[in-house]
Amino acid sequence: MLLSHRIRIEANAEQRDYFARAAGTARRVWNWALAEWNRLASAGRPSTAMRLKKQFNAIKYIHPDWLNAEGRPWLASIHRDAHAQPFAHLARAWSRYFAARRAGQPAHPPRFKKKGRSRDSFYIANDKFRIKGRTAVLPKVGTIALTEALRWPGKIMGASVSREAQHWFLAVQVEVPDDVAKCRRSGNGVKGVDLGVTTAATLDSGEKIAAPRPLKAVLRRLRIRSRRQSRKQQAAKVRAGIEGAIPKGIKPSKSKNQAKGATTLARLQARIARVRRDFLHKLTTRLCRENQALGIEDLCVKGMLSNGRLARSIADVGFYEFRRQLQYKALRYGTTIVLADRWYPSSRLCSTCGAKNTTLVLSERTWTCRCGAGHDRDVNAAINLQRLATGALAAQTALPVASQAAMLGTAAGTVPAAGGKVTPARHEHGHQDGSGQEENGAHICARF
């Protein structure tokens, strides 16, 4: 199993300068390769990444665009992996683009990278560096200090150095033996998890887990610092005598206060990302560790973000990142992820009698079924997802720990190995008009 450990580097000024130059080199080579790819394609002579790499190797030490003011090749001061790997990355980007087009999915071709807008990073091959304890030896840099030792034993497959605000990180990819990568679960429950905005996750047991909402917590401070930085940029344009948009190829000189303000703003944005990432890691680890199956909805996050009123709140919780982390952690804990169909009416179905409330709107947080049962919208959805996961797990494995609920209004429990009848989850809800679940088999079960 391939696992990655991201470690912060305690870099000095000289090492930070080299990292910035190497990341800039990778960005510039990517832009050159993409421009050449587009030029050859428009001329009717499509190329490949390998041909572009050979073409670049022939000119990188002699072409004027790659020589410094003294006429020497400045690429010689940067390790070759930084300007060799962008060709492989470009090939993968084009492959993903054409694969999405063939599948009829929306896609956009690879784009040029701009300094300050794209992520600063570069690649290092596994035979070009070594790690010992809390130190690493990188090419052209030498020994660097790490904040912690490498977590995973196994064969190192490669690494990348990237920047987040003022800190640099070394992400090491390791091929870990399965017996080491696999983790033991502390429980064998079956949970339904309903994601939301007011609460990040609602479980079928009624537990509601609030999100830290890090962006909302510091939004006022973020706006103030953004305005300050915008004023500094306007002042730089005035000093340079530029009116309107900055022409391409012209870079107004930055003052020390402007550079300091950019660092302060980047640190605040990095803190927002860290708080959100920490919360999601703890939540997804807990869910995978305690359960053998999890039922979640296949949410269309892109469509949800088109709602101008809820987009910021949805992005602040991190719906997509929650599912991504669940998928790879399910591999380690042996947890089954059951994806409910995108049109599955989890909130509209009564978890007591199975009737569907067709008039339920988003603003209604509680509702009463015609059978007299009162429901909290999120808890009701989580119970329906839990039943769906129970039926999917039973159909897949016939494990005795997953049993149909004794009553329609209760969650599925655990029974001894000799007892308990298990049926697919869709049988618990009866007829589901308009949901499409009967035709779709009621669930999509994915064992990641």
Side-chain angles (χ1 to χ4, degrees):
M1 184 180 294
L2 289 177
L3 297 175
S4 180
H5 188 189
R6 187 167 176 260
I7 311 171
R8 199 178 83 183
I9 300 173
E10 297 290 353
N12 55 37
E14 184 179 354
Q15 291 168 344
R16 288 195 297 268
D17 177 69
Y18 173 81
F19 292 155
R21 289 188 292 115
T25 298
R27 180 176 58 249
R28 182 170 177 179
V29 173
W30 165 280
N31 290 338
W32 179 91
L34 180 57
E36 193 67 14
W37 186 300
N38 293 338
R39 184 184 68 82
L40 293 174
S42 61
R45 295 182 295 141
S47 185
T48 63
M50 185 57 67
R51 293 176 188 170
L52 289 177
K53 187 175 180 180
K54 291 180 179 179
Q55 180 182 345
F56 176 73
N57 289 338
I59 66 168
K60 65 181 181 180
Y61 292 142
I62 59 176
H63 196 277
D65 289 344
W66 302 94
L67 302 179
N68 57 21
E70 300 174 354
R72 297 178 180 177
W74 54 268
L75 279 176
S77 62
I78 307 295
H79 190 260
R80 65 174 302 277
D81 286 343
H83 50 82
Q85 193 65 16
F87 295 96
H89 291 166
L90 182 62
R92 285 199 293 268
W94 279 114
S95 297
R96 288 194 297 267
Y97 168 72
F98 289 123
R101 290 288 300 272
R102 286 192 296 268
Q105 300 174 354
H108 61 78
R111 299 171 179 172
F112 293 100
K113 297 181 179 181
K114 184 177 181 181
K115 183 178 180 180
R117 297 289 182 88
S118 62
R119 179 169 172 263
D120 287 340
S121 67
F122 62 95
Y123 174 81
I124 306 174
N126 61 345
D127 60 337
K128 301 299 190 299
F129 74 99
R130 63 182 184 273
I131 297 178
K132 184 177 181 180
R134 295 177 57 179
T135 61
V137 181
L138 304 185
K140 298 289 186 179
V141 177
T143 303
I144 60 172
L146 306 176
T147 55
E148 57 181 315
L150 183 62
R151 185 179 304 162
W152 314 116
K155 180 182 178 182
I156 295 178
M157 307 301 293
S160 64
V161 178
S162 60
R163 175 162 56 185
E164 184 177 283
Q166 80 278 22
H167 294 299
W168 289 91
F169 294 84
L170 178 68
V172 185
Q173 189 181 42
V174 186
E175 187 176 26
V176 184
D178 286 345
D179 59 334
V180 177
K182 298 290 185 179
C183 298
R184 185 183 297 274
R185 290 199 304 265
S186 61
N188 289 312
V190 180
K191 287 288 184 184
V193 184
D194 180 68
L195 298 181
V197 174
T198 54
T199 56
T202 302
L203 307 184
D204 58 274
S205 60
E207 180 184 359
K208 295 189 176 184
I209 304 172
R213 307 283 289 276
L215 176 60
K216 182 180 180 181
V218 298
L219 186 58
R220 180 176 179 274
R221 196 187 322 165
L222 183 65
R223 285 172 172 167
I224 291 173
R225 293 183 179 178
S226 297
R227 285 197 296 266
R228 288 176 182 174
Q229 191 62 15
S230 179
R231 294 190 191 103
K232 292 182 177 69
Q233 185 176 3
Q234 292 296 327
K237 289 171 60 177
V238 171
R239 289 195 303 269
I242 300 174
E243 296 183 0
I246 301 176
K248 186 177 180 179
I250 297 179
K251 296 181 180 180
S253 59
K254 292 185 178 181
S255 64
K256 290 185 178 180
N257 278 339
Q258 187 176 356
K260 189 186 302 182
T263 301
T264 304
L265 185 60
R267 290 176 59 186
L268 181 59
Q269 291 170 335
R271 183 183 182 278
I272 294 171
R274 283 197 304 270
V275 172
R276 183 184 299 121
R277 194 161 54 233
D278 177 74
F279 166 75
L280 290 175
H281 272 297
K282 291 177 179 177
L283 175 59
T284 52
T285 300
R286 171 198 163 186
L287 291 174
C288 289
R289 181 189 294 136
E290 296 177 354
N291 300 282
Q292 63 171 333
L294 294 169
I296 62 174
E297 291 179 302
D298 183 20
L299 299 175
C300 179
V301 180
K302 183 177 180 180
M304 297 171 70
L305 292 177
S306 62
N307 186 332
R309 294 178 179 269
L310 297 176
R312 180 185 296 148
S313 298
I314 292 172
D316 203 8
V317 176
F319 284 0
Y320 176 80
E321 180 66 11
F322 174 83
R323 175 173 165 179
R324 187 193 72 84
Q325 291 186 15
L326 271 186
Q327 288 180 359
Y328 82 81
K329 290 179 182 180
L331 268 176
R332 302 190 61 206
Y333 287 94
T335 304
T336 300
I337 305 297
V338 179
L339 295 178
D341 184 85
R342 185 164 292 180
W343 304 109
Y344 177 65
S346 59
S347 299
R348 296 171 180 264
L349 288 176
C350 175
S351 58
T352 301
C353 67
K356 183 178 178 181
N357 184 355
T358 58
T359 62
L360 187 67
V361 295
L362 186 62
S363 59
E364 297 181 57
R365 308 315 301 174
T366 59
W367 59 282
T368 303
C369 181
R370 61 192 178 192
C371 69
H375 297 295
D376 179 283
R377 179 194 185 100
D378 298 332
V379 176
N380 179 67
I383 293 175
N384 288 327
L385 291 172
Q386 189 266 356
R387 293 223 180 110
L388 207 61
T390 301
L393 183 65
Q396 180 188 8
T397 63
L399 286 176
V401 291
S403 172
Q404 182 180 0
M407 298 178 60
L408 286 177
T410 61
T414 60
V415 295
K421 178 184 176 183
V422 185
T423 58
R426 65 175 182 272
H427 297 160
E428 297 182 356
H429 301 301
H431 186 59
Q432 300 175 11
D433 296 328
S435 68
Q437 285 303 108
E438 294 300 314
E439 294 79 2
N440 294 339
H443 63 267
I444 302 171
C445 181
R447 181 67 179 265
F448 296 98

